């Protein structure tokens, strides 16, 4: 018993000692933190950029709010954007000059190693390898285990982050520019650029590769700053480790938002804080090719209302391999308000210089975008009503064109963007995208919005139940004197087919005999695929129409047509010249529900898998009849229900 009692006393004493040690350690940490902050403040390069504390920081985050004057010192003579509630934002300016940075040995913080510039032994271009597989250098692991790690990294980030970690943060990309670009001369006095990079839960390797790639490729005299904006990320590596890393980079500022702003709000914040004359918005997983910035700045300098994009090359989400995009391309959108890059062949001209002329573009993607700062603000920045992510680049595109600006893709500028397999973060609900698109439709599309709503019924029903408010955007449109959507369609994007959507001749194409709808399994509308049948979706993605030219138009851009070279019905690009070939012409007989192919005078028939080869006036033949595959076929006309069709409108025309 006594022994036990003595043991207890000893344990209590030990406990006290441990507690004392713990308190001491905490006090030490506090002092170091204070010293570190002080050091950082002293590192701020010029008085014009003096920042002061205004908010108490959370323990793991150095949070400093800069004064509003500092923005003015950057040459801003613009009124602040009213759409921003800047008081709710926190900013970490981590300006450091390499010479002033402590020539520190690799530091350890948390589970990450931070290698400072120049710390790599003897290499001219040091590899900023950090985030080494949670503390260890990434190693190739044997077979299936390695695969598992990669699979879970894809789940987390939407791309193979393990593969990305193995690649230097400062890899160079191969030359992909047209040789004619090398002869281009750019003005000496190009405007300065602020590269604005918003991120939410970005992987360490891709984020830092983006930053280094900008620093390594943009000429110093043109790059005013890189603004990193943390849109309330949760990942630990984007907190103090990132602040620390950025503190050692020249000309990079880190701004943190305490509110999730979404891509548009975040970029507008970046714009309000930027000091450069031209804003270059860039996704947080990009890599720039040599010479990318100058051609963009040149085009904006020539016309401050011109918004420009580089050719967006692609980084493969699985292998991280770089793939050059075939020039010429331009950005467009379809009637479901989805954005695409499309090949844009122009007639070949003899002049070799014409191969590197910029291409006017009805829309530009969000990956990289250069825009004059004043023009951006005067045109209303990003629509503050847009949620998180999705379609904001389409809204900006329509607004820029309609309100006096223009857009183009500049071929001598190339930036690669990592195309994710899926978004690396969750959106709070599935309807975010629809809500953003509703704003576009209601603000900009006038009566043409009906065409959108009949192709996106979820948006239609959301709009009916919520009656979203776009009055602010409407008054902006008015005050800027913007043109209407008819002007946009006829002047900027005349190639977009305008559906007629006649009642009873448009909607889901319902087949009576199979109780299903015509469907295109080929995904987003690549031409050449066979048509099929599937359960009616009711979403609007099976929408088609029979127009007054007799074409059955399919797909969100209405650019694909029912076509039949033989027995099977497939989709082909619609003829661009009218009147179209009888191969593309159909006649709908309302009474019988038959759709008759004009060239062959055969009827459209739906076949279910294992169905009978021929229909014969409603009488199924014997069991010996060979079966056929599923799909849409041309067959001699009968009155079989598999040849009876109805166009079913999902959205009442008046409703939109
Ligand atoms: N982003 C952000 N806040 C958000 C959503 C996205 O700052 O709420 C950033 C994201 O980290 C990325 C950019 O916005 O840098 C565009 O998003 P993403 O790349 O996921 O879109 P995608 O290129 O796939 O359209
Ligand atoms: Mn992206």
């Amino acid at each position: 018993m006594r022994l036990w009692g003595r043991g207890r006393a000893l344990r209590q004493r030990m406990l006290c000692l441990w507690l004392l040690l713990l308190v001491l350690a905490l006090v030490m940490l506090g002092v170091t933190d204070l010293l570190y902050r002080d050091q950082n403040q002293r590192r701020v390069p010029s008085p014009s950029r003096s920042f002061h504390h205004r908010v108490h920081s959370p323990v793991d985050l150095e949070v400093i709010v800069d004064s509003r004057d500092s923005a003015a010192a950057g040459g801003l003579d613009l009124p602040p954007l009213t759409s921003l509630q800047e008081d709710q934002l926190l900013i970490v300016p981590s300006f450091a000059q390499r010479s002033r940075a402590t020539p520190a040995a690799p530091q350890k913080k948390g589970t990450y190693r931070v290698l400072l510039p120049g710390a790599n032994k003897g290499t001219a271009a040091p590899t900023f390898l950090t985030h080494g597989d949670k503390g260890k250098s990434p190693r190739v692991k044997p077979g299936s285990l390695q695969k598992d790690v990669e699979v879970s990294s894809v789940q987390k980030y939407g791309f193979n982050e393990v593969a990305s970690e193995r690649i230097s943060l400062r890899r160079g990309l191969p030359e992909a520019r047209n040789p004619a670009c090398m002869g281009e001369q750019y003005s000496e006095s190009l405007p300065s650029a602020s590269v604005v990079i918003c991120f939410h839960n970005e992987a360490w390797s891709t984020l830092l590769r983006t930053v280094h790639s900008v620093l390594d490729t943009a000429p110093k005299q043109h790059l005013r700053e890189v603004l990193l904006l943390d849109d309330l990320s949760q990942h630990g590596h984007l907190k103090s480790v990132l602040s620390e890393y950025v503190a050692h980079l020249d000309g990079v500022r880190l701004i943190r938002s305490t509110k999730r702003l979404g891509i548009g709000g975040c970029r507008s914040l970046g714009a309000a804080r930027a000091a450069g004359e031209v804003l270059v918005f860039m996704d947080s997983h990009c890599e720039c090719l040599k010479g990318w910035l100058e051609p963009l700045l040149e085009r904006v300098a020539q016309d401050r209302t011109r918004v420009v994009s580089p050719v967006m090359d692609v980084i493969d989400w699985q292998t991280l391999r770089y793939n050059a995009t075939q020039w010429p391309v331009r950005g467009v959108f379809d009637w479901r308000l989805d954005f695409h890059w499309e090949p844009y062949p122009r007639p070949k001209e003899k002049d070799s210089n014409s191969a590197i002329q910029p291409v006017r573009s009805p829309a530009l993607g969000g990956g990289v975008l250069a825009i004059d700062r004043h023009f951006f603000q005067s045109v209303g920045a990003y629509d503050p009503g847009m949620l998180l992510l999705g379609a904001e680049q389409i809204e900006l595109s329509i607004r820029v064109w309609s309100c006096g600006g223009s857009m183009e893709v500049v071929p001598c500028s190339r930036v690669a963007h990592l195309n994710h397999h899926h978004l690396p973060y969750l959106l709070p609900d599935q309807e975010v995208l629809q809500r953003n698109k509703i704003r576009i439709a209601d603000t900009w599309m006038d009566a043409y919005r009906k065409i959108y709503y009949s192709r996106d019924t979820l948006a239609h029903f959301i709009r009916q139940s919520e009656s979203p408010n776009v009055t602010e955007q409407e008054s902006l449109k008015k005050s800027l004197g913007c043109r209407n959507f008819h002007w946009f369609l006829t002047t900027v994007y005349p190639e977009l087919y305008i559906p007629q959507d006649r009642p009873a001749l448009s909607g889901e194409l319902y087949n009576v005999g199979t109780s299903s709808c015509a469907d295109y399994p080929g995904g987003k509308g690549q031409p050449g695929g066979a048509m099929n049948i599937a359960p009616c979706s009711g979403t609007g993605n099976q929408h088609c129409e029979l127009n007054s030219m007799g074409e059955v138009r399919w797909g969100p851009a209405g650019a694909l047509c029912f076509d039949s070279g033989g027995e099977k019905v497939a989709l082909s690009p619609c003829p661009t010249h009218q009147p179209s070939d009888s191969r593309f012409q159909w006649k709908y007989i309302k009474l019988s529900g038959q759709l008759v192919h004009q060239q062959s005078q055969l009827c459209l028939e739906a076949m279910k898998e294992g169905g009978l080869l021929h229909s014969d006036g409603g009488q199924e033949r014997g069991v010996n009849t060979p079966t056929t595959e599923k799909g849409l076929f041309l067959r001699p006309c009968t009155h079989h229900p598999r040849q009876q069709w109805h166009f079913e409108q999902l959205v009442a025309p008046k409703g939109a």
Side-chain angles (χ1 to χ4, degrees):
M1 278 306 268
R2 231 188 306 156
L3 256 181
W4 182 81
R6 210 187 301 156
R8 196 172 61 168
L10 193 71
R11 259 199 299 262
Q12 271 174 350
R13 235 174 290 154
M14 285 294 282
L15 197 68
C16 283
L17 200 69
W18 275 113
L19 276 174
L20 199 72
L21 276 172
L22 198 69
V23 170
L24 255 170
L26 282 174
V27 169
M28 290 283 281
L29 258 178
V31 169
T32 329
D33 191 38
L34 271 177
L35 280 175
Y36 181 73
R37 265 189 236 171
D38 194 39
Q39 222 177 31
N40 247 14
Q41 269 186 314
R42 267 185 270 133
R43 255 188 233 144
V44 171
S46 76
S48 67
R49 292 199 175 277
S50 63
F51 301 91
H52 60 260
H53 295 267
R54 217 161 58 179
V55 180
H56 282 289
S57 60
V59 184
D60 66 329
L61 187 65
E62 180 196 18
V63 180
I64 307 166
V65 178
D66 71 348
S67 68
R68 301 220 169 159
D69 307 342
S70 70
L76 296 182
D77 47 0
L78 300 166
L81 283 171
T82 45
S83 55
L84 290 174
Q85 295 176 307
E86 295 198 12
D87 291 346
Q88 289 170 304
L89 306 166
L90 306 174
I91 294 185
V92 180
S94 294
F95 254 87
Q97 288 187 347
R98 230 165 259 197
S99 53
R100 291 191 207 178
T102 356
Q107 301 170 14
K108 272 200 169 170
K109 184 137 187 175
T111 52
Y112 297 88
R113 290 181 296 126
V114 178
L115 298 192
L116 300 178
N120 258 23
K121 287 166 260 155
T123 38
T127 303
F128 292 78
L129 221 194
T130 61
H131 186 202
D133 197 15
K134 316 300 169 276
K136 288 178 227 105
S137 292
R139 244 175 285 142
V140 181
K141 300 185 184 77
S144 66
L145 183 58
Q146 175 64 19
K147 263 270 149 313
D148 290 349
V149 176
E150 289 188 10
V151 166
S152 71
S153 90
V154 169
Q155 274 165 359
K156 181 171 176 189
Y157 288 108
F159 73 96
N160 189 343
E161 193 251 353
V162 174
S164 173
E165 276 194 13
R166 282 192 220 117
I167 297 167
S168 163
L169 292 188
R170 296 181 73 185
R171 74 163 161 177
L173 294 182
E175 183 61 76
R177 288 174 293 176
N178 185 314
C181 294
M182 315 310 171
E184 289 288 277
Q185 299 284 322
Y186 302 106
S187 150
E188 278 296 299
S189 55
L190 289 174
S192 63
S194 290
V195 177
V196 175
I197 303 171
C198 286
F199 62 92
H200 177 78
N201 287 353
E202 184 63 62
W204 176 269
S205 55
T206 37
L207 177 64
L208 272 303
R209 201 174 288 124
T210 308
V211 174
H212 282 298
S213 131
V214 171
L215 294 176
D216 288 345
T217 53
K220 274 210 158 32
Q221 69 272 27
H222 304 318
L223 182 67
R224 175 75 196 233
E225 65 200 340
V226 176
L227 291 183
L228 273 179
L229 290 106
D230 175 8
D231 190 13
L232 202 64
S233 298
Q234 292 119 3
H235 292 176
H237 63 261
L238 299 172
K239 300 300 168 193
S240 51
V241 187
L242 181 66
S243 303
E244 193 179 322
Y245 191 94
V246 164
H248 294 96
L249 295 177
D250 227 354
V252 183
R253 274 210 293 167
L254 176 60
I255 300 177
R256 296 197 193 268
S257 168
T258 50
K259 221 176 88 180
R260 180 84 177 273
L261 296 170
I263 176 74
C266 180
R267 285 180 169 185
S268 295
L269 166 69
R273 297 300 173 154
E277 288 169 77
V278 175
L279 305 166
V280 181
F281 296 119
M282 186 178 287
D283 272 12
S284 48
H285 32 259
C286 288
E287 291 173 61
C288 311
L289 273 82
K290 207 170 154 224
W292 69 283
L293 184 61
E294 299 92 317
L296 297 181
L297 294 180
E298 175 100 348
R299 295 298 290 175
V300 176
Q302 284 168 6
D303 177 351
R304 297 292 181 144
T305 66
R306 197 183 268 156
V307 182
V308 299
S309 159
V311 178
M312 297 305 296
D313 294 327
V314 174
I315 302 169
D316 184 89
W317 65 268
Q318 262 174 315
T319 60
L320 273 285
R321 242 177 250 143
Y322 163 81
N323 295 309
T325 295
Q326 193 78 27
W327 174 256
V329 278
R330 63 174 194 168
V332 293
F333 56 87
D334 57 38
W335 288 108
R336 280 174 73 88
L337 297 179
D338 286 322
F339 175 85
H340 317 272
W341 291 111
E342 68 164 25
Y344 186 59
R346 286 182 303 186
K348 281 217 172 355
E349 288 164 58
K350 288 204 184 86
D351 178 10
S352 72
N353 227 26
S354 71
I356 56 167
Q357 285 308 304
V359 159
R360 282 158 73 86
S361 192
L364 290 178
V368 179
L369 200 76
I371 182 168
D372 178 80
R373 183 163 49 84
H374 283 80
F375 180 64
F376 176 73
Q377 299 211 0
S378 62
V379 88
Y382 277 96
D383 173 1
M386 286 275 186
L387 308 167
L388 297 180
L389 177 94
E392 70 291 325
Q393 82 276 31
I394 296 178
E395 197 278 341
L396 185 68
S397 300
I398 301 175
R399 181 148 43 89
V400 161
W401 277 110
S402 311
C403 312
S406 65
M407 289 190 146
E408 64 181 35
V409 185
V410 182
C412 290
S413 170
R414 281 180 177 264
V415 176
H417 169 262
L418 191 149
N419 283 11
H420 288 101
H421 173 257
H422 56 261
L423 282 184
Y425 39 81
L426 289 173
L427 296 176
D429 62 67
Q430 297 302 305
E431 291 152 16
V432 164
L433 182 61
Q434 267 74 26
R435 284 181 222 278
N436 287 349
K437 289 177 173 182
I438 289 169
R439 287 185 72 80
I440 299 177
D442 287 5
T443 310
W444 297 106
M445 291 173 73
D446 313 320
Y448 291 96
R449 66 177 179 266
K450 284 182 205 165
I451 301 175
Y452 164 62
Y453 287 118
S454 57
R455 282 155 185 77
D456 189 347
T457 51
L458 176 58
H460 168 76
F461 294 119
I462 293 174
R463 179 175 180 263
Q464 274 200 326
S465 62
E466 295 178 5
S467 328
N469 181 354
V470 290
T471 46
E472 272 185 31
Q473 284 303 93
E474 271 170 347
S475 53
L476 173 76
K477 186 177 167 182
K478 217 166 163 192
S479 68
L480 292 174
C482 308
R483 301 182 202 248
N484 63 22
F485 201 60
H486 181 75
W487 174 88
F488 179 88
L489 288 175
T490 49
T491 317
V492 181
Y493 193 13
E495 299 84 2
L496 181 64
Y497 168 74
I498 301 171
Q500 299 165 352
D501 281 355
R502 296 178 296 173
L505 294 172
S506 68
E508 284 181 343
L509 187 52
Y510 176 77
N511 181 260
V512 177
T514 58
S515 310
S516 32
C517 279
D519 187 67
Y520 183 62
K524 288 193 171 160
Q526 308 307 318
M531 284 301 298
N532 213 329
I533 49 161
C536 301
S537 73
T539 62
N541 69 346
Q542 293 169 329
H543 184 101
C544 59
E545 68 149 351
L546 178 69
N547 66 17
S548 56
M549 278 99 71
E551 300 161 334
V552 180
R553 293 256 180 179
W554 183 273
L560 298 175
C561 276
F562 274 29
D563 175 27
S564 184
E567 213 195 13
K568 267 198 137 180
V569 174
L571 286 183
S572 298
C574 300
T576 42
H577 300 292
Q578 301 303 332
S580 68
D581 195 327
S582 66
R583 189 177 126 188
F584 290 101
Q585 285 175 346
W586 302 76
K587 193 170 176 177
Y588 182 61
I589 303 168
K590 261 191 195 144
L591 262 181
S592 62
Q594 288 166 316
L595 250 174
V596 187
H597 184 231
Q598 292 304 83
Q599 192 180 50
S600 62
Q601 289 298 308
L602 296 171
C603 277
L604 185 69
E605 178 168 325
M607 292 302 283
K608 270 194 167 163
E609 217 146 18
L612 297 164
L613 190 60
H614 291 286
S615 50
D616 59 339
Q619 297 295 311
E620 308 273 80
R621 273 187 261 168
V623 281
N624 294 334
T625 314
T627 56
T628 184
E629 52 182 320
K630 197 173 158 186
L632 296 192
F633 296 86
L634 285 184
R635 296 281 154 77
C637 295
T638 68
H639 290 286
H640 194 283
R642 285 198 304 264
Q643 288 193 6
Q644 287 173 26
W645 300 89
H646 300 297
F647 285 96
E648 300 209 330
Q649 287 199 318
L650 299 164
V651 169
K654 261 208 293 185

